[in-house]
Amino acid sequence: MKPTVAVFSFTGCEGCSLAILECENELLDVLNLVQLVRWREAMTETAQEFDIALVDGSISTHHDVKKVKQIRELCKLLVPIGACAHNAGLNALKNRYGMGQVKETVYGDAGAQFDTIPACPVSAVVPIDFALPGCPIDRGEFVRTVRDLCLGKTPRLPTYPICVECKKKENVCVFFQGKFCMGPVTRAGCGAICPTYGDGCEGCRGFVDDPNQNAHKETLAEYGLTAREVMQHFDMFNSYDDRLP
Amino acid sequence: MPDVNLHVEDITRVEGHGDIVLNVKQGKIEELRLEITESPRFYESMILGRRWDEVTHITCRICGICSIGHTSASLQAVEAALGIQISQQTLLMRQLAFCGETLQSHVLHVYYLVAPDLLGVPSVLPLVETHKEVVIMALRLKRLANDLCAVIAGRHIHPCAMKVKCFPHVPRKDDLRALRERLVASMDDLMDSVSLLKTLQLPQVEREMEFVSLYHPDEYALYRGTEMISSRGQRVTIPEYKQMFSEYVVAHSHAKHAATERGSYMVGALARFNNNHRQLRPRALEVATALGLESGCMNPFMNNVAQVVECVQCTLDAIEILDKLCDLELVLEDPTVEVKAGRGVGASEVPRGQLIHDYTFNDEGLVTEANLVIPTGQNLNNIERDMHAFVPGILDRSQDEIRQFLEMLVRAYDPCISCATHLLRVKFV
């Protein structure tokens, strides 16, 4: 029997669900490994039982909280996919304001009718079995993770920072090009895609296990960033993380 | 005639969360709503105080499908505010990435999300058994579109290499030539899919409606436009977009509705076709004719046919742009920017219709005000009006058939509901 898989989306752009569909070359192979039984974005079927639940998006409403708890009851393995589900990602930027204030800014007086709570990762609400980081998730890492889960293995993430992958690609360090980068404190696994295309890493995969964030803060300041700009580099994707300097 | 009580929770095969509510008693519609239940995300608050060079990378995360489109509108807005002119090289590369995104989105929508309705199955998965060749062809077209985006922008979802003023890398000519060859070959796939589509039957319904889209005098407007035009003759410049329509909050939707003076309006592929079909390439127009799409078409289901016509347009555009890029000496351009205070509006025709990013910066280049107008939000009002117009004609059908018709109607618009909930307060005009 192939394990059954369901995909759910909470508060986010659904790019990580889309990234699954973007495994064009591997999609038919993945479908040989697992049976997709529920995925609102792609199919009409609504199975009530499944082995693995893949969840994208942050939890940011009371309705989200209720629904993710139900999903936890229905599945054996719960795997958040993507930055929003993994560490609340960009969504947590709104947490700096009061929820009343964000509603007022966006909807004016009519905002009171809308339900919103500070955005949080899935793991803040229910126990999870593994989380895939990244904004969006990396296709190769996704396929490897599904394979590992089907084999009963615990998937692993790299424990080293982006810089290792960047060096392997023989990229010129973006700091030497007058740009800024979160690579030294960010978990590898994306192949250092942003620096490879000439941009700095924005830290979307979250901090590496033991980040030296204070040293990195000093490096950014050394290259001319103001204290405010340093914080903005750290908090774009990691404002929910309590290790934020 | 039996009463109807429908509540479709979480319409499937669309991006984002929406419900349909329909109650009919003794042949009279008592309730009919498209409810947008997606969690609101508050992007407009999140970008306040952020720097001019990071705002695009935040707002492109509004949508996973249209992130190159959001990036394009956002970059145009930043550049308009800071008074930046971009080079021919950068313009061509952005237009090429835009073609790639439009192709990938249209292929995804037509083949994976809409085709199952027309073939009578609940998803693309059973088609792997019954129509394997078609599924593999769609995967091949989508892969090519994604590769096109990747070579130029790093990746399709949340492009990392599209920046203010220029690209931080230069594509390799070998990669560009290889893409060109694959695009030329893909025209056969597209023509095969046109033959298949000719055999499928779309619902035949019509309603008098207004179409709004961008317009550019020199090209079929996709990446950019110089004006916003309406099928009833109104034209406004891009920064004056609020003179074309106004937005308002309704109780049953987290996304705002919009209306012109006339009322609801449609944006998207059919609106672009109706307003700008004279600028399409002959081959794309031939495909339109072959599929029965003519200018002035008022059947919303034909939006999916217009998407196929645009696939042909984008493939041919991409080939021409690649030729131009291969003739240029591609260089790493100077990214230096002079920061100043100002307001800028950027607009692009993303797959689902016109998208507007409107930012105001202070003299440090930090965002002080932002307004984002998303195509699906603009269409919601029109979808509801369609439902009101078409439902009385199908009340003799079974409840299940009515439900399916309404879901198909929503899908025809290719809604992107998770985007639709990121609207800002608009000063009412």
Side-chain angles (χ1 to χ4, degrees):
Chain A
M1 267 295 274
K2 291 195 272 191
T4 51
V5 174
V7 186
F8 296 92
S9 291
F10 289 93
T11 308
C13 75
E14 297 191 15
C16 293
S17 291
L18 182 69
I20 302 175
L21 278 177
E22 294 217 333
C23 299
E24 290 95 356
N25 294 346
E26 305 87 5
L27 198 59
L28 297 180
D29 295 333
V30 171
L31 291 175
N32 282 332
L33 276 181
V34 299
Q35 190 189 352
L36 274 170
V37 293
R38 182 167 176 172
W39 184 1
R40 197 214 68 255
E41 197 174 1
M43 54 203 281
T44 297
E45 296 90 332
T46 53
Q48 291 298 319
E49 278 179 32
F50 31 84
D51 299 315
I52 303 169
L54 303 174
V55 172
D56 78 14
S58 307
I59 305 303
S60 84
T61 63
H62 291 99
H63 180 257
D64 286 352
V65 172
K66 198 172 132 196
K67 202 170 140 203
V68 79
K69 285 182 176 168
Q70 283 169 355
I71 293 168
R72 179 69 269 187
E73 298 289 314
L74 296 172
C75 66
K76 291 181 190 141
L77 295 174
L78 179 69
V79 181
I81 59 171
C84 297
H86 164 235
N87 66 357
L90 282 177
N91 287 312
L93 286 175
K94 74 161 184 170
N95 298 359
R96 295 176 294 172
Y97 307 97
M99 294 302 108
Q101 189 188 334
V102 295
K103 286 196 275 196
E104 208 272 330
T105 306
V106 178
Y107 296 103
D109 296 339
Q113 64 177 308
F114 298 120
D115 171 23
T116 194
I117 57 175
C120 66
V122 172
S123 61
V125 180
V126 290
I128 61 162
D129 296 283
F130 183 69
L132 265 177
C135 183
I137 55 169
D138 178 82
R139 258 199 322 253
E141 198 167 58
F142 170 75
V143 174
R144 284 195 302 279
T145 301
V146 170
R147 188 198 57 201
D148 287 350
L149 292 173
C150 289
L151 293 171
K153 282 168 60 175
T154 306
R156 284 190 188 179
L157 294 173
T159 51
Y160 45 83
I162 296 286
C163 298
V164 175
E165 289 178 331
C166 216
K167 293 284 173 293
K168 273 189 185 165
K169 293 214 159 159
E170 300 183 5
N171 293 332
V172 174
C173 180
V174 295
F175 278 105
F176 297 155
Q177 304 167 41
K179 297 169 188 167
F180 309 100
C181 187
M182 288 293 288
V185 289
T186 301
R187 187 183 303 281
C190 59
I193 181 166
C194 296
T196 302
Y197 279 86
D199 196 15
C201 165
E202 287 167 337
C204 74
R205 291 176 56 85
F207 292 139
V208 73
D209 283 347
D210 194 13
N212 194 343
Q213 58 275 56
N214 288 331
H216 191 55
K217 208 168 82 179
E218 284 164 23
T219 307
L220 290 173
E222 238 170 68
Y223 279 89
L225 287 188
T226 63
R228 179 196 170 92
E229 288 166 336
V230 168
M231 285 314 294
Q232 292 205 336
H233 272 264
F234 270 93
D235 79 1
M236 194 192 284
F237 282 97
N238 294 290
S239 52
Y240 190 85
D241 196 311
D242 55 16
R243 291 174 296 177
L244 195 69
Chain B
M1 196 176 290
D3 290 348
V4 183
N5 279 299
L6 272 179
H7 186 177
V8 182
E9 268 186 77
D10 274 356
I11 307 161
T12 57
R13 280 184 279 132
V14 297
E15 212 213 11
H17 298 266
D19 295 3
I20 299 170
V21 175
L22 171 63
N23 281 310
V24 181
K25 274 206 182 117
Q26 296 172 333
K28 190 169 161 279
I29 296 173
E30 298 210 321
E31 270 186 304
L32 176 48
R33 294 190 303 275
L34 174 61
E35 298 184 342
I36 299 305
T37 54
E38 182 83 14
S39 315
R41 292 178 71 197
F42 306 102
Y43 266 91
E44 323 41 48
S45 326
M46 298 193 311
I47 60 172
L48 294 179
R50 304 300 297 207
R51 259 169 60 133
W52 62 275
D53 56 349
E54 58 176 8
V55 62
T56 299
H57 283 225
I58 296 176
T59 55
C60 87
R61 263 95 183 172
I62 288 172
C63 177
I65 295 186
C66 312
S67 45
I68 288 182
H70 277 279
T71 301
S72 300
S74 175
L75 290 174
Q76 289 178 47
V78 177
E79 286 158 359
L82 302 184
I84 296 166
Q85 297 290 327
I86 60 168
S87 69
Q88 179 71 359
Q89 173 184 320
T90 292
L91 175 65
L92 289 171
M93 282 171 65
R94 285 191 192 167
Q95 286 178 320
L96 185 56
F98 205 92
C99 287
E101 172 168 277
T102 307
L103 265 172
Q104 104 85 33
S105 176
H106 282 351
V107 169
L108 170 76
H109 186 67
V110 173
Y111 293 94
Y112 292 13
L113 309 184
V114 171
D117 280 329
L118 305 178
L119 295 163
V121 288
S123 76
V124 72
L125 297 179
L127 299 180
V128 177
E129 305 294 329
T130 58
H131 295 71
K132 191 161 185 176
E133 285 309 307
V134 180
V135 174
I136 288 178
M137 179 195 72
L139 285 171
R140 194 160 53 224
L141 285 170
K142 215 168 138 300
R143 173 87 264 158
L144 170 57
N146 284 339
D147 289 349
L148 188 62
C149 297
V151 165
I152 301 298
R155 61 187 170 202
H156 158 244
I157 304 172
H158 312 330
C160 47
M162 294 177 82
K163 309 286 282 181
V164 175
K165 194 178 173 192
C166 57
F167 283 77
H169 80 113
V170 177
R172 291 175 38 200
K173 292 247 170 115
D174 284 353
D175 290 337
L176 299 180
R177 288 189 197 102
L179 283 171
R180 186 191 190 281
E181 266 179 48
R182 288 170 65 195
L183 281 162
V184 170
S186 79
M187 281 300 285
D188 289 342
D189 278 344
L190 270 178
M191 289 305 149
D192 285 349
S193 73
V194 170
S195 307
L196 172 77
L197 283 169
K198 267 197 247 180
T199 66
L200 303 176
Q201 190 65 44
L202 289 166
Q204 295 298 315
V205 287
E206 280 199 355
R207 181 175 76 87
E208 184 70 29
M209 58 171 110
E210 179 177 6
F211 299 95
V212 178
S213 70
L214 301 183
Y215 170 79
H216 194 286
D218 308 325
E219 62 203 38
Y220 184 80
L222 287 169
Y223 164 76
R224 61 176 177 173
T226 51
E227 284 175 290
M228 186 177 284
I229 61 171
S230 147
S231 56
R232 69 186 156 86
Q234 197 188 354
R235 314 175 79 91
V236 298
T237 64
I238 303 298
E240 295 171 332
Y241 67 91
K242 287 179 190 170
Q243 291 180 16
M244 182 65 92
F245 60 84
S246 44
E247 289 183 288
Y248 54 95
V249 175
V250 292
H252 61 277
S253 166
H254 289 183
K256 284 178 190 166
H257 280 204
T260 63
E261 275 173 17
R262 179 198 153 276
S264 75
Y265 60 97
M266 184 176 186
V267 298
L270 186 61
R272 293 191 287 265
F273 177 86
N274 279 335
N275 287 353
N276 298 328
H277 60 95
R278 286 178 198 83
Q279 293 167 304
L280 282 167
R281 291 167 183 274
R283 194 93 186 262
L285 276 173
E286 277 166 33
V287 167
T289 308
L291 293 172
L293 175 62
E294 289 173 8
S295 66
C297 173
M298 300 278 181
N299 177 358
F301 288 93
M302 291 299 271
N303 189 47
N304 300 138
V305 171
Q307 290 176 316
V308 174
V309 171
E310 288 189 343
C311 284
V312 176
Q313 175 79 8
C314 283
T315 303
L316 296 172
D317 279 355
I319 292 170
E320 191 180 295
I321 295 169
L322 282 163
D323 285 339
K324 287 183 184 165
L325 279 173
C326 285
D327 286 344
L328 283 179
E329 193 192 334
L330 301 178
V331 292
L332 202 55
E333 299 177 82
D334 174 18
T336 320
V337 165
E338 201 180 316
V339 177
K340 59 176 186 180
R343 173 187 173 225
V345 183
S348 289
E349 280 284 345
V350 295
R352 288 142 202 91
Q354 56 181 20
L355 164 71
I356 298 148
H357 282 227
D358 176 353
Y359 308 136
T360 305
F361 297 98
N362 65 15
D363 52 14
E364 290 173 83
L366 305 179
V367 177
T368 57
E369 213 178 319
N371 187 22
L372 312 174
V373 187
I374 276 85
T376 295
Q378 298 175 68
N379 271 334
L380 291 173
N381 191 0
N382 210 55
I383 301 175
E384 279 190 355
R385 297 276 82 74
D386 279 356
M387 289 178 169
H388 276 279
F390 300 145
V391 160
I394 54 168
L395 283 177
D396 55 341
R397 310 230 198 126
S398 74
Q399 189 134 320
D400 202 45
E401 284 175 314
I402 296 172
R403 178 193 55 75
Q404 200 187 355
F405 178 88
L406 292 178
E407 282 197 47
M408 279 176 70
L409 175 66
V410 173
R411 261 179 228 125
Y413 278 80
D414 190 2
C416 206
I417 298 169
S418 46
C419 312
T421 57
H422 311 136
L423 304 180
L424 218 217
R425 174 160 49 158
V426 174
K427 292 177 191 78
F428 292 85
V429 282

